[in-house]
Amino acid sequence: MVSVINTVDTSHEDMIHDAQMDYYGLQLATCSSDRTVKIFEVKNGTQRLLTTLDGHEGPVWQVAWAHPKYGRILASCSYDRKVIIWKEHDGHWSKLYEFNDHKSSVNSLSWAPHTLGLAFACGSSDGSISVLKHMGDNQWDCQKINNAHSVGCNAVSWAPATVPGSLIEPPSNSYQNNFVRKIASAGCDNLVKIWCEKDGQWIEEDKLDGHTDWVRDCAWAPSVGLPDSKIASCSQDGRVIVWSSSGKDGVWTSKILEKFEDVVWHVSWSLTGDILAVSGGNNKVSLWKEGLNGEWTCISEIGKGQSNSNSVCD
Amino acid sequence: MEILFNPHHHETFAVTNGDLSFYKLCYGDIVEDEEISVCRFHSKDTDVNTDVKCMAWHPSEECSDIIALGQSNGRVVLKSVEFMDYSSMVHLPKREFFQKHSKQCNALAWNTHHPNWLAVGFDKQKQSSLVVWDVNSKGDFSHMTERNKLSGSELNPSPNQPSVVVKPLVELTPGESVNSLAWIGQSGETSTLIAGFNHKFLRVYDIRSPSSSISSSTINHKATSGICIDPCCDSRIASFGENSVSIWDLRKFVKPVVNIPVNNNIRKVEWSPHREGMLAVLLNSGHDGFGVASDNDVVYVYELHKALYSDQDLNIVGYQPIVRTVKPKLPAGDWMTWVNGFTWLPVQPNSLLTLSNASSFHVTGILERTSACWNGNRSFSVTSGYDCFYYSHPDNLAFHQNSDSIFSAEFVDVGQIIMKRAKNNYGLVNENPLKNIELCLEPENIDLHLLWEWIDRINHLTQPDSSTPAILSPSGPQPTTGFIHNKPRSTPRRQSLKIGKSAYFSGVLAVMKESIGDSNTNHSTTETIQWIGVPSTKSFTYTSKKRNAVLSLCDWGSSVGKAVERFGRNSIGEALVRRLQTSGATERACTIAVWHLDLKLAIEILNLASSKKGNTDLQFSAVAMALSGYTGSGSPTLWLDTCRRLQNELKSAYLQMAFAFLIACAEENKSNENESLKFEPILSNKTILVQDRVAFACIYLPDSSLVSYLSRLASDVTNLGTLSGTLVTGLTGSNGVQLLQNYVNKTGDMQTALLVIMQTNNSQTLLGPNVLHWKESYCQLLNKWKLCLERSEFDLQWAKASGIQRTTSQVYIHCNYCNKNISSTPAPTTTRGRGYMGGGIGMQSSISSCPSCRKPLPRCSVCSMHLGTRHNETDVSKWTSWCMKCRHGGHQAHLMEWFEKHVQCPVTDCECYCGSDLPTG
């Protein structure tokens, strides 16, 4: 894969844990152990620091952009047990909402598909998952899944809202009910769990057992014209597993993509869901694609030490 | 075993293992995972190089060559280590501190703030077991820290009398052996000392207090060994006891914040000097003669997060640090080798220097946790440690096939291709579907090309402007298109057959089924055709109007209008073969010539090709030779056997199938095989284009077996998602949609599936769940890529294709004075304005006043001219736009220009940050 590497001089004073580009790829939000969130404008390979958001009292683990139709909204979750929703207004960023109902570090945060309204889910080391929905006027309705994972929840990921069949019905008042409300979560109980909202309650729909150590991350693949649901998960045991389900019988089948030597920290699907980025240690990121025979192959590997900016590599 | 880097000279380190040795390390030579070479150098004073129990480098820079050594005989020796580059410098004599009847010295610690204070801990003894010496005191070395004076001869005691009894500054008598000790708060002024005693208790002393008594309560805890303070966080302390590491917070020094149980006895713990809360732990080798404990070849690194609050939250229930293992690459399979000692590299972050029991040094890095995450714009960002970067695809990189194989075949990022195609208006150029072949950006994807060629043929075959249905046109030369329509064999039958677009889109299978089911005149007739080039040999063929129509759809129509016969000289068949030959498809042309029973033509084509290529390729000549040997059903067995062997050696599947056909015809009379089975090798050969197989079947299969063959083929291509198979399955049936869905499953290319199926204009098909899902996905992608124009173009076509009413305009501009809609009323100047168009005076025709009340429209906030556009203005830059918040606006082009440089509203005194919401980059 040919790509240009743009190094971002973040001026964070401690480890950087996450960097997320906004919907249009114009602004980059980063977060760090130095307790700050920074937002950069990214243009033609150069970056300009727009703002530094202070407010967290511990390392900030993850940031996430809301869909732009709700305005410029960023959420961050931190070790300080808080989730903060930030909003830009007239070029100025300010804290919109602070959620601190977790008893321990909030490790992961994920916005719901925009068709479900302004809502997000977050998972905490206290083992619970919270789903917050904006009810208007900065009122947030919180639904909590207690004891989702014993010892702690490491990651949450929403299912895509649209699956085949959900759009058959013509637009009507009940239109929204056709959308899928599901969350996959990864935890320290070595499990990936799937949660489904039914009658306003989040219930455990499935339990994916395949890892032998903490599951660090899980990611629901975007469904781009595909009938199957896919979830990728990665674990401290070094395994990356792709789970897939045809949706009809609700059976999930697992396929071990690879067993790595060290902890695998994150998995991320490309926009069209055809390439999976797997990040292990030391900047090592590998890209995987499923072949026609259903086997996953590594199509690209990005090693460490590529700090020279704007170089073309393949 | 202890390894200790000099705090000021990072290349120098000392190693004690009973004896003492010094090494230099060259950082440039470090290769991770390999044994590294170090340069050992000796100190002159060999007598103290034994029995060293503990050591500590002098903390100040001017005395950085001095190391304090604690010995098992209770003596503490200060000695200067002669660095290579210090050889010309002072020769600091050996200096010793000792107490009478002292027992083993267990721990040493310099105070960084008072560099002359050295705290020393001993085994349990009658006198104090914890003392602090002022190394400057007692006359002999009154100015220890002043390096120059140290070197002065008058202060230099005789080397023969090195032992001077110096009274300690502080003597503490806890009555227990000291396991470990450390000064607290090394970054600022400090006089507090923490010490651990004999696996019993930990105690903090303030040595300034006159009584030298305890300044803090005693903590009874077993973790008294290896006390060390996190260099990045003064209040965080680690210590260890048996099988457990304890992390303490000094601000709440009551009990450990975290206890980390481990599997074996601990040898050493050390905080990372670079990263807060990162503790490396080495366990005992555990080598017991019977085998090896599994832990002896790794160093564990625990990642602890910041302790946030000094209240009870420090005790986080169920808290577990992340464990990383650092495994130096010791000689493989050597269970006798294990890690004996380690230390963090002072310069290179996150790397450990380890020493094996075989005295080999290794540098091993700890892999940073990395997060990679795809962004919407086909790029992804990576964070790792302190690094943050993102990969992006430059837009200007073309999809050239030959540009250094940038896009290897096995790695095509579908998303990227879809975006490029969308920008190219792929699939939306209805007037010429062939253009899509170029726009699809996949020059290798034959199936995709065939798909669009098929769409193109359907369009031509159903050209509405030809008065009669194209396939019945008696002489329909359309030289401009190059596609001419097959004429049925008998011209009088021009009245009946009309195959519409929808029929073609329902697929060949559906057409043939309908035709067979119809008991009318549509039954196929058989004909006997005379071979050309083989005397007195004939073959049976089938024909009907529908079959001919299908042949045209398979691109087996002719390109010269005069030809009416499929077989023979100047026939449709010959024209087709010539056309293929010109396009370079020699093998295909030859085989199709054979299938048209024209061996002369086939041989001619082969000869032409081989003469063009020269003598390099003998295959064509050989094939020509073989072909000429065919003598119909009376062909000799020898010839048949030879051909069978030759057939298997041929590379081209088409040429193979030419022989398969000949062999089948030759053996016609010998076996009583079913007609359809006779040609089975040809019909089931997947390397032959679907259209050629279908066309072949249309000529040589009788009605019943034709339909069953087509059904079989349809399910084959559907399962495989073969795009060119849409010829058989069509697009409007469930088979066709399933075929496309399988193609999407395989490739993720829902764009092609969606845009092709839109060609059918069949609303029932288009509003099916699969297609709607493709549309939804595709629209979301276009939104994300900000391809607004492409999206609106697509929406228009979709509305046209699906027959769904377009949403009518919901926003109107109304006049401030009369409240009438100014955009819907045709401008009074329109008719006149058209006359003036061109020459740059088109602006004159724009309305600048309300068409109803004639009051002027507002002015553009940038150029101060009155707003207003011509009726049906197509140049977006001349349109009017305004901010949804402050309602100020102006000409689109002017606003764009303004907001390139500003974020605030162009209207004076308006504080609105209109520009900050612009999604443009």
Side-chain angles (χ1 to χ4, degrees):
Chain A
M1 186 175 80
V2 166
S3 48
V4 172
I5 308 167
N6 302 287
T7 307
V8 183
D9 179 17
T10 59
S11 66
H12 275 300
E13 288 159 17
D14 208 331
M15 276 175 81
I16 306 159
H17 297 294
D18 197 16
Q20 298 273 350
M21 205 73 89
D22 70 353
Y23 187 84
Y24 293 121
L26 302 173
Q27 295 190 356
L28 182 78
T30 61
C31 62
S32 152
S33 272
D34 69 4
R35 307 171 181 206
T36 62
V37 172
K38 287 175 193 254
I39 297 173
F40 298 86
E41 183 188 60
V42 178
K43 231 183 214 174
N44 308 328
T46 61
Q47 312 86 37
R48 187 166 64 91
L49 177 66
L50 294 177
T51 188
T52 301
L53 305 175
D54 292 301
H56 280 297
E57 294 164 64
V60 189
W61 299 134
Q62 247 180 33
V63 285
W65 293 91
H67 192 271
K69 82 179 187 189
Y70 300 107
R72 202 153 281 182
I73 292 178
L74 184 74
S76 58
C77 64
S78 158
Y79 183 77
D80 67 3
R81 305 172 295 170
K82 283 190 273 197
V83 171
I84 299 182
I85 311 291
W86 313 85
K87 186 169 170 47
E88 187 220 47
H89 185 71
D90 288 349
H92 301 292
W93 283 89
S94 56
K95 198 186 280 184
L96 179 73
Y97 183 73
E98 193 176 294
F99 175 68
N100 44 16
D101 196 33
H102 279 291
K103 297 188 189 73
S104 186
S105 166
V106 184
N107 298 323
S108 174
L109 180 144
S110 164
W111 287 99
H114 66 93
T115 37
L116 302 182
L118 188 62
F120 68 87
C122 56
S124 162
S125 285
D126 66 13
S128 65
I129 296 169
S130 299
V131 183
L132 279 88
K133 189 163 167 43
H134 188 236
M135 307 306 283
D137 202 24
N138 205 14
Q139 295 299 305
W140 295 76
D141 174 54
C142 173
Q143 287 173 307
K144 207 151 191 188
I145 309 171
N146 284 313
N147 297 318
H149 292 277
S150 56
V151 190
C153 172
N154 292 323
V156 285
S157 174
W158 286 80
T162 47
V163 294
S166 66
L167 290 162
I168 305 169
E169 312 247 330
S172 69
N173 291 339
S174 59
Y175 189 47
Q176 282 229 333
N177 296 337
N178 290 325
F179 289 119
V180 177
R181 290 158 192 276
K182 280 188 192 175
I183 297 173
S185 65
C188 306
D189 50 5
N190 309 348
L191 295 173
V192 174
K193 288 184 177 178
I194 293 163
W195 309 88
C196 180
E197 193 190 21
K198 279 201 181 117
D199 309 320
Q201 290 289 315
W202 286 90
I203 54 165
E204 185 182 314
E205 190 185 81
D206 230 319
K207 201 190 276 188
L208 310 182
D209 190 355
H211 289 291
T212 57
D213 204 341
W214 290 18
V215 188
R216 298 291 339 177
D217 197 10
C218 63
W220 207 307
S223 129
V224 180
L226 302 175
D228 286 9
S229 292
K230 266 193 202 131
I231 297 174
S233 66
C234 63
S235 159
Q236 260 166 241
D237 65 11
R239 286 193 184 89
V240 175
I241 299 184
V242 176
W243 310 84
S244 53
S245 160
S246 64
K248 281 169 193 151
D249 46 5
V251 175
W252 290 86
T253 51
S254 69
K255 174 134 207 145
I256 297 177
L257 180 117
E258 178 80 341
K259 165 111 172 60
F260 293 89
E261 277 184 17
D262 197 31
V263 184
V264 183
W265 297 102
H266 287 286
V267 282
S268 173
W269 293 97
S270 71
L271 197 54
T272 41
D274 62 332
I275 299 169
L276 182 71
V278 173
S279 37
N282 258 26
N283 299 355
K284 271 185 191 132
V285 179
S286 48
L287 303 181
W288 298 75
K289 195 177 163 90
E290 191 179 14
L292 301 182
N293 53 1
E295 292 296 322
W296 289 86
T297 43
C298 180
I299 48 175
S300 180
E301 224 170 300
I302 298 149
K304 56 175 180 172
Q306 290 167 335
S307 52
N308 47 332
S309 60
N310 282 337
S311 64
V312 174
C313 73
D314 48 7
Chain B
M1 166 73 71
E2 198 174 350
I3 310 177
L4 202 58
F5 272 95
N6 187 301
H8 297 284
H9 304 278
H10 293 320
E11 71 288 345
T12 308
F13 62 94
V15 176
T16 63
N17 195 6
D19 59 344
L20 174 71
S21 41
F22 297 96
Y23 296 89
K24 268 182 187 248
L25 177 66
C26 180
Y27 282 93
D29 293 346
I30 292 180
V31 181
E32 237 174 64
D33 295 340
E34 275 180 32
E35 185 178 344
I36 53 167
S37 59
V38 288
C39 173
R40 180 171 176 163
F41 61 96
H42 290 273
S43 164
K44 283 177 191 165
D45 310 307
T46 46
D47 55 329
V48 294
N49 285 358
T50 54
D51 281 344
V52 176
K53 283 285 157 193
C54 53
M55 59 182 174
W57 291 96
H58 197 284
S60 70
E61 183 152 20
E62 58 264 38
C63 299
S64 56
D65 60 327
I66 293 171
I67 189 165
L69 305 167
Q71 293 177 265
S72 53
N73 58 10
R75 289 180 177 241
V76 176
V77 180
L78 294 190
K79 98 186 216 75
S80 168
V81 182
E82 293 92 12
F83 294 97
M84 266 83 129
D85 48 348
Y86 271 66
S87 53
S88 60
M89 294 188 72
V90 290
H91 304 284
L92 185 79
K94 188 168 75 182
R95 169 128 202 229
E96 285 191 17
F97 299 89
F98 64 95
Q99 293 174 298
K100 277 178 186 159
H101 316 296
S102 182
K103 293 201 175 167
Q104 176 172 301
C105 173
N106 286 334
L108 289 170
W110 292 96
N111 186 317
T112 46
H113 194 72
H114 303 280
N116 47 338
W117 289 2
L118 177 65
V120 185
F122 297 95
D123 263 355
K124 185 177 177 179
Q125 54 188 343
K126 275 184 192 165
Q127 46 205 327
S128 49
S129 58
L130 176 58
V131 297
V132 178
W133 269 296
D134 184 340
V135 294
N136 283 357
S137 66
K138 302 303 169 193
D140 291 322
F141 296 89
S142 52
H143 302 287
M144 178 75 172
T145 51
E146 297 290 326
R147 210 189 154 81
N148 295 338
K149 292 186 182 171
L150 278 175
S151 60
S153 58
E154 72 277 13
L155 292 175
N156 212 347
S158 156
N160 301 328
Q161 307 167 329
S163 307
V164 179
V165 178
V166 179
K167 188 173 161 38
L169 186 69
V170 182
E171 289 176 283
L172 300 160
T173 320
E176 280 295 344
S177 311
V178 175
N179 291 127
S180 62
L181 56 85
W183 292 95
I184 292 169
Q186 294 286 55
S187 53
E189 159 135 30
T190 179
S191 51
T192 348
L193 192 62
I194 181 169
F197 298 94
N198 199 23
H199 306 295
K200 286 178 181 155
F201 56 91
L202 291 149
R203 197 172 276 174
V204 176
Y205 298 94
D206 189 338
I207 63 159
R208 286 171 305 187
S209 60
S211 62
S212 296
S213 60
I214 305 156
S215 73
S216 158
S217 59
T218 304
I219 316 291
N220 292 312
H221 202 276
K222 282 185 176 174
T224 58
S225 305
I227 293 176
C228 54
I229 297 169
D230 190 344
C232 306
C233 175
D234 277 346
S235 60
R236 184 178 298 136
I237 292 180
S239 68
F240 63 87
E242 270 182 27
N243 296 349
S244 134
V245 180
S246 298
I247 312 295
W248 307 80
D249 191 319
L250 273 179
R251 295 167 299 182
K252 188 173 160 264
F253 194 52
V254 181
K255 60 173 184 172
V257 182
V258 188
N259 274 314
I260 307 164
V262 291
N263 297 332
N264 213 327
N265 282 336
I266 297 160
R267 207 172 248 247
K268 181 182 181 181
V269 299
E270 189 177 310
W271 292 103
S272 161
H274 299 99
R275 178 140 319 156
E276 192 178 336
M278 211 169 190
L279 185 73
V281 176
L282 176 66
L283 302 186
N284 246 334
S285 65
H287 184 252
D288 52 8
F290 296 104
V292 210
S294 59
D295 292 331
N296 66 355
D297 56 351
V298 295
V299 179
Y300 292 97
V301 175
Y302 293 87
E303 284 181 42
L304 301 135
H305 303 307
K306 293 187 187 204
L308 292 167
Y309 307 103
S310 48
D311 56 25
Q312 70 272 17
D313 282 313
L314 284 172
N315 307 309
I316 296 159
V317 185
Y319 182 87
Q320 265 186 291
I322 294 167
V323 192
R324 315 290 303 275
T325 48
V326 179
K327 192 167 185 169
K329 203 153 193 168
L330 300 173
D334 187 356
W335 57 273
M336 290 296 288
T337 319
W338 58 85
V339 177
N340 223 358
F342 79 92
T343 191
W344 292 91
L345 277 190
V347 175
Q348 205 166 306
N350 280 333
S351 297
L352 292 174
L353 176 72
T354 56
L355 172 57
S356 76
N357 62 327
S359 299
S360 61
F361 288 92
H362 295 264
V363 169
T364 312
I366 296 164
L367 300 180
E368 291 275 15
R369 52 197 298 182
T370 302
S371 132
C373 136
W374 285 91
N375 304 318
N377 273 9
R378 74 237 165 262
S379 67
F380 61 94
S381 48
V382 177
T383 60
S384 181
Y386 291 85
D387 300 333
C388 173
F389 42 90
Y390 59 93
Y391 291 79
S392 56
H393 294 287
D395 286 339
N396 52 1
L397 273 180
F399 278 80
H400 286 314
Q401 213 191 324
N402 50 357
S403 59
D404 298 335
S405 65
I406 284 174
F407 288 89
S408 54
E410 68 274 10
F411 179 32
V412 179
D413 182 357
V414 170
Q416 205 177 347
I417 289 183
I418 289 176
M419 189 184 67
K420 288 226 135 196
R421 285 179 189 166
K423 284 184 177 165
N424 283 345
N425 240 359
Y426 171 68
L428 300 178
V429 279
N430 282 334
E431 59 280 358
N432 185 8
L434 287 178
K435 190 115 205 304
N436 292 321
I437 294 174
E438 187 188 318
L439 297 178
C440 78
L441 301 170
E442 288 192 67
E444 304 276 275
N445 196 335
I446 301 297
D447 265 344
L448 201 53
H449 298 186
L450 292 173
L451 177 71
W452 288 112
E453 280 174 12
W454 172 65
I455 297 278
D456 183 67
R457 275 198 302 280
I458 290 181
N459 283 351
H460 281 291
L461 291 174
T462 57
Q463 204 76 262
D465 55 5
S466 49
S467 52
T468 46
I471 52 156
L472 290 180
S473 160
S475 59
Q478 289 171 329
T480 44
T481 62
F483 280 84
I484 241 359
H485 312 301
N486 182 14
K487 201 185 123 204
R489 298 185 59 257
S490 45
T491 38
R493 279 187 275 162
R494 54 181 298 182
Q495 72 284 358
S496 60
L497 188 65
K498 190 176 185 115
I499 292 186
K501 210 170 188 168
S502 61
Y504 283 124
F505 276 124
S506 65
V508 168
L509 176 61
V511 169
M512 291 317 292
K513 256 187 183 163
E514 179 199 306
S515 148
I516 306 298
D518 191 356
S519 58
N520 289 336
T521 56
N522 282 332
H523 272 304
S524 309
T525 49
T526 50
E527 281 182 36
T528 315
I529 306 290
Q530 168 68 46
W531 283 69
I532 297 174
V534 188
S536 66
T537 304
K538 289 179 179 182
S539 282
F540 284 108
T541 62
Y542 296 86
T543 185
S544 78
K545 287 167 286 175
K546 292 239 172 164
R547 284 178 189 245
N548 282 335
V550 169
L551 284 172
S552 300
L553 193 60
C554 293
D555 203 17
W556 274 36
S558 76
S559 60
V560 182
K562 284 157 202 152
V564 289
E565 298 292 331
R566 173 147 294 277
F567 301 97
R569 283 273 155 258
N570 299 321
S571 65
I572 299 171
E574 186 181 345
L576 163 69
V577 169
R578 298 262 180 230
R579 179 154 55 84
L580 290 173
Q581 184 208 0
T582 333
S583 68
T586 307
E587 292 92 341
R588 196 175 155 213
C590 167
T591 301
I592 288 176
V594 174
W595 289 351
H596 277 94
L597 312 177
D598 193 341
L599 279 185
K600 266 194 177 154
L601 182 60
I603 290 166
E604 179 193 331
I605 283 170
L606 288 174
N607 287 339
L608 261 176
S610 82
S611 70
K612 235 182 239 171
K613 281 191 181 177
N615 287 330
T616 48
D617 194 350
L618 287 169
Q619 200 184 33
F620 285 155
S621 320
V623 170
M625 276 297 289
L627 285 181
S628 61
Y630 178 68
T631 52
S633 51
S635 299
T637 326
L638 183 63
W639 183 85
L640 286 172
D641 290 342
T642 318
C643 281
R644 277 205 187 89
R645 214 167 31 250
L646 174 69
Q647 185 190 350
N648 294 330
E649 281 167 17
L650 289 173
K651 281 181 208 124
S652 156
Y654 269 98
L655 289 181
Q656 285 181 17
M657 288 309 112
F659 283 103
F661 179 71
L662 290 181
I663 292 167
C665 289
E667 292 184 335
E668 199 166 30
N669 301 334
K670 290 177 189 167
S671 65
N672 297 322
E673 265 183 311
N674 191 323
E675 205 98 15
S676 60
L677 289 176
K678 193 169 74 179
F679 299 120
E680 191 54 35
I682 299 171
L683 296 173
S684 60
N685 191 324
K686 287 193 168 60
T687 42
I688 304 294
L689 296 185
V690 173
Q691 61 190 55
D692 289 342
R693 279 187 276 161
V694 170
F696 181 85
C698 276
I699 294 177
Y700 291 105
L701 289 189
D703 287 351
S704 55
S705 38
L706 176 60
V707 171
S708 73
Y709 169 68
L710 288 176
S711 310
R712 194 150 47 89
L713 185 61
S715 75
D716 264 8
V717 292
T718 303
N719 291 338
L720 290 172
T722 313
L723 274 186
S724 53
T726 50
L727 169 76
V728 187
T729 61
L731 289 172
T732 48
S734 60
N735 256 353
V737 175
Q738 192 53 50
L739 186 152
L740 288 178
Q741 181 67 63
N742 287 342
Y743 167 75
V744 173
N745 292 355
K746 236 166 60 172
T747 60
D749 176 16
M750 78 329 238
Q751 183 187 38
T752 298
L754 177 64
L755 294 170
V756 155
I757 211 157
M758 275 169 64
Q759 299 283 337
T760 63
N761 290 342
N762 182 324
S763 65
Q764 208 188 335
T765 310
L766 290 186
L767 297 179
N770 295 55
V771 182
L772 282 181
H773 186 46
W774 301 337
K775 175 183 175 257
E776 194 64 21
S777 314
Y778 186 49
C779 288
Q780 276 184 18
L781 285 180
L782 292 180
N783 287 354
K784 196 146 201 164
W785 292 327
K786 286 193 296 172
L787 300 177
C788 311
L789 293 175
E790 288 78 1
R791 166 79 203 267
S792 49
E793 183 66 27
F794 169 80
D795 279 349
L796 284 174
Q797 300 253 2
W798 171 264
K800 224 195 285 174
S802 64
I804 286 180
Q805 279 296 310
R806 242 190 317 146
T807 334
T808 47
S809 171
Q810 292 165 320
V811 182
Y812 302 97
I813 311 173
H814 67 78
C815 170
N816 269 338
Y817 300 96
C818 66
N819 275 345
K820 289 229 172 92
N821 180 358
I822 64 163
S823 48
S824 67
T825 328
T829 52
T830 305
T831 36
R832 213 189 60 195
R834 275 195 185 138
Y836 288 102
M837 260 162 62
I841 49 170
M843 277 300 281
Q844 283 186 3
S845 60
S846 63
I847 14 164
S848 56
S849 60
C850 170
S852 325
C853 67
R854 300 275 164 195
K855 293 252 171 59
L857 293 175
R859 292 165 186 273
C860 168
S861 53
V862 179
C863 71
S864 292
M865 297 294 283
H866 285 289
L867 291 172
T869 45
R870 279 184 295 137
H871 188 59
N872 289 338
E873 174 65 69
T874 48
D875 184 358
V876 184
S877 65
K878 285 181 185 161
W879 287 10
T880 303
S881 187
W882 62 94
C883 168
M884 297 297 274
K885 284 192 276 187
C886 67
R887 311 279 167 149
H888 293 128
H891 295 118
Q892 176 78 21
H894 295 155
L895 292 177
M896 293 305 284
E897 204 179 316
W898 174 267
F899 285 119
E900 253 171 40
K901 293 176 193 135
H902 308 83
V903 284
Q904 265 185 305
C905 181
V907 175
T908 330
D909 292 342
C910 180
E911 298 281 301
C912 181
Y913 284 84
C914 325
S916 62
D917 287 333
L918 278 180
T920 46

